[in-house]
């Protein structure tokens, strides 16, 4: 019982005494706090006391593309915790290969009459994907927030990392180490955040048509990145900027399979600063997304819509931070 009180109190952001008062139906607790405690019970999987089971918390969908990339569980932790503190019950929907599609999840959430939906890394970020299910949400007038860049015509509020700043930081770091032949491993052609990163690189490096061979595309997997990065290393690239940490790890694997050392022969910069990047060999230099701040902002935007306070159509851009570790070093010969 003591463990349960401690966990619920931490999840709801209140004291154990407050949790006890709610569970025992005592006075002296605001409705918002009471709802947050009951929601925390639901999220942690504890049964409500019998007299409270008839009260259902408000439901919000969180739709993720996967859980294998550590950045998405990190975002889920922030969003679900913040939703619970605001009195909402999160419904986590993570897609798997051959499993439930994003479109199917939208239908399920609509059937459950959710109060709103937060998407991260969905098909809204792919210019050539189908977007019909998003328009269904618009037609229903359902509050929606997107995390990171997507196609413009959907009109949903967005909370994004500034991809241009991320590339400027990574490129500037590699140039300061003397790298002149710098390449990129990006997501698919239609992936909007990758497009933004490429546009920023063109501006920062002054790339022209002849520099197209410095860019390779990949699915967001280590296997895909290994194939893409192999081509760059074989072309003499000594510094590689990747669109995710997963792509960076695949790039390191590619360099090693070609007999190159990281960072002595090839320097690699990731993007995300997801969990365990300090534990890789070498520890990964990467551009950190401010996930905690972005997750909280996404919930704030959604709750503002749910409460009828209007919709902020502008995209909120959050500045990333370059974290220098062991996967970058002076260019060969420097």
């Amino acid at each position: 019982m003591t463990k349960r009180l401690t966990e619920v109190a931490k999840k709801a952001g209140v004291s154990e005494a407050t949790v006890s008062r709610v569970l025992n139906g005592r006075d002296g607790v605001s409705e918002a706090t009471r709802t947050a405690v009951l929601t925390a019970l639901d999220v942690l999987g504890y049964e409500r006391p019998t007299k409270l089971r008839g009260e259902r918390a408000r439901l919000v969908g969180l739709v993720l593309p996967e859980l294998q990339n550590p950045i998405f569980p990190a975002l889920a932790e922030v969003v679900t915790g913040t939703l619970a503190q605001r009195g909402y019950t999160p419904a986590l929907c993570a897609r798997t290969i051959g499993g439930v599609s994003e479109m199917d999840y939208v239908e399920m959430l609509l059937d459950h009459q959710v109060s709103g939906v937060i998407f991260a890394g969905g098909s809204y970020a792919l210019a050539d994907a189908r977007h019909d299910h998003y328009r269904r949400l618009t037609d229903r007038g359902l509050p929606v927030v997107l995390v990171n860049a997507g196609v413009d015509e959907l009109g949903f509020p967005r909370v994004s990392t500034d991809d241009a700043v991320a590339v400027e930081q990574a490129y500037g770091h590699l140039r300061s180490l003397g790298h002149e032949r710098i390449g990129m491993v990006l997501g698919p052609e239609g992936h909007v955040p990758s497009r933004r990163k490429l546009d920023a690189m063109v501006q920062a490096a002054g790339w022209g048509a002849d520099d197209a061979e410095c860019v390779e595309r990949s699915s967001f997997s280590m296997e895909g990145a290994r194939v893409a990065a192999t081509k760059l290393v074989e072309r003499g690239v000594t510094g590689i900027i990747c669109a995710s940490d997963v792509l960076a790890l695949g790039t390191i694997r590619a360099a090693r399979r070609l007999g190159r050392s990281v960072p002595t022969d090839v320097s690699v910069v990731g993007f995300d600063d997801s969990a365990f990047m300090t534990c890789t060999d070498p520890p990964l230099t990467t551009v950190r997304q401010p996930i905690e701040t972005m997750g909280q902002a996404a919930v704030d935007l959604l709750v503002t819509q749910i409460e009828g306070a209007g919709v902020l159509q502008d995209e909120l851009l959050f500045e990333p931070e370059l974290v220098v570790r062991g996967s970058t070093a002076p260019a060969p010969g420097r």
Side-chain angles (χ1 to χ4, degrees):
M1 182 65 179
T2 302
K3 178 183 177 183
R4 182 175 72 164
L5 284 176
T6 301
E7 290 182 348
V8 173
K10 182 178 179 181
K11 194 73 173 175
V14 300
S15 68
E16 292 180 28
T18 298
V19 174
S20 180
R21 282 197 293 272
V22 171
L23 297 183
N24 290 298
R26 296 175 186 164
D27 297 330
V29 180
S30 71
E31 187 59 33
T33 299
R34 186 168 170 277
T35 302
V37 170
L38 294 177
T39 301
L41 276 176
D42 296 336
V43 172
L44 293 170
Y46 292 124
E47 287 192 10
R48 298 185 181 195
T50 304
K51 59 187 176 183
L52 299 176
R53 286 179 189 171
E55 301 180 24
R56 299 181 62 86
R58 293 167 292 178
L59 195 65
V60 169
L62 172 61
V63 184
L64 304 176
E66 58 168 315
L67 291 177
Q68 292 183 332
N69 184 337
I71 199 66
F72 292 116
L75 176 66
E77 183 177 5
V78 175
V79 170
T80 56
T82 306
L83 282 169
Q85 291 180 11
R86 301 292 292 270
Y88 292 87
T89 299
L92 179 60
C93 305
R95 288 180 285 140
T96 57
I97 296 175
V100 180
S101 69
E102 186 177 75
M103 188 177 301
D104 290 335
Y105 272 132
V106 167
E107 293 300 324
M108 292 167 59
L109 292 171
L110 288 174
D111 287 343
H112 283 81
Q113 298 181 326
V114 294
S115 298
V117 185
I118 295 175
F119 290 92
S123 56
Y124 66 86
L126 299 170
D128 52 358
R130 292 185 60 185
H131 301 127
D132 299 351
H133 51 297
Y134 298 119
R135 296 187 178 93
R136 285 209 63 197
L137 299 174
T138 302
D139 294 341
R140 292 279 190 98
L142 197 71
V144 172
V145 174
L146 310 179
V147 178
N148 278 327
V151 296
D152 291 329
E153 60 266 23
L154 296 177
F156 295 132
R158 285 174 284 174
V159 174
S160 305
T161 299
D162 194 323
D163 291 302
V165 172
V167 169
E168 289 166 4
Q169 292 177 348
Y171 177 74
H173 173 60
L174 291 175
R175 287 291 296 160
S176 72
L177 294 172
H179 292 274
E180 296 181 358
R181 188 73 167 160
I182 298 173
M184 304 186 82
V185 175
L186 301 175
E189 182 71 33
H191 185 243
V192 177
S194 291
R195 284 184 177 181
R196 289 186 173 187
K197 290 180 176 68
L198 179 56
D199 289 344
M201 189 66 168
V202 169
Q203 291 295 319
W207 276 1
D210 294 339
D211 296 296
E213 66 174 14
C214 293
V215 179
E216 286 295 332
R217 302 280 183 173
S218 168
S219 62
F220 280 96
S221 66
M222 283 201 290
E223 294 76 16
R226 185 184 64 79
V227 173
T230 295
K231 299 175 184 178
L232 294 179
V233 175
E234 289 177 337
R235 293 173 192 152
V237 169
T238 64
I240 301 178
I241 299 170
C242 302
S244 77
D245 290 342
V246 171
L247 295 183
L249 296 179
T251 296
I252 291 173
R253 180 179 295 179
R256 286 178 173 162
R257 288 196 178 182
L258 290 172
R260 311 298 208 279
S261 171
V262 176
T264 304
D265 301 315
V266 180
S267 286
V268 179
V269 181
F271 178 81
D272 282 337
D273 194 28
S274 46
F276 311 121
M277 292 306 104
T278 58
C279 305
T280 58
D281 180 26
L284 186 66
T285 294
T286 186
V287 180
R288 175 183 295 158
Q289 292 201 70
I291 287 298
E292 184 168 353
T293 306
M294 291 171 62
Q296 292 171 348
V299 172
D300 288 343
L301 278 174
L302 191 77
V303 172
T304 297
Q305 295 179 69
I306 292 172
E307 294 177 348
V311 180
L312 178 66
Q313 295 291 352
D314 295 333
E315 180 179 20
L316 299 182
L317 290 178
F318 289 80
E319 186 162 335
E321 175 188 2
L322 177 70
V323 181
V324 179
R325 299 193 182 105
S327 65
T328 51
R334 291 296 294 259

